Amino acid sequence: TYPIAAAKYDFLKLFDQVLISGHVNVIKPNERIFRILLARIGVPSRWCIMIDDSPANVATAAQLGFHAIQFTSPRELESELIDMGILIPSWRSAMK
């Protein structure tokens, strides 16, 4: 399904790396997939943000040292990323 999503959503082209579970034969929340990712990108987990809607996936990422965020809504994610200094609040966010 990733090729379909990548063709539909231009923002996916912004990522330097994409790790598709079917290509490495391991899925979240198995910690091995996170370790494969870290080996590929060559940075420590503390430099990474993992965003997922699954509590189990978020818990595994957090245990491995990722900044782990459970996605509950776009507004909540935006707020968390602003609090982390990743996003700059838009005027619309500031008005809420």
Side-chain angles (χ1 to χ4, degrees), residues 29-74:
N30 186 321
E31 73 177 51
R32 200 164 68 103
I33 196 162
F34 295 97
R35 295 189 188 284
I36 292 168
L37 173 68
L38 293 172
R40 280 191 183 183
I41 64 175
V43 299
S45 59
R46 69 181 183 278
W47 292 4
C48 300
I49 301 171
M50 195 287 202
I51 303 164
D52 201 298
D53 61 346
S54 164
N57 297 343
V58 172
T60 299
Q63 289 171 359
L64 293 172
F66 286 74
H67 296 274
I69 299 171
Q70 184 175 351
F71 180 84
T72 55
S73 74

Side-chain angles (χ1 to χ4, degrees), residues 75 78-79 81-82 87-96:
R75 186 172 290 173
E78 178 185 44
S79 177
L81 293 175
I82 288 169
L87 290 179
I88 297 171
S90 68
W91 66 271
R92 289 180 195 191
S93 296
M95 299 298 287
K96 293 177 186 171

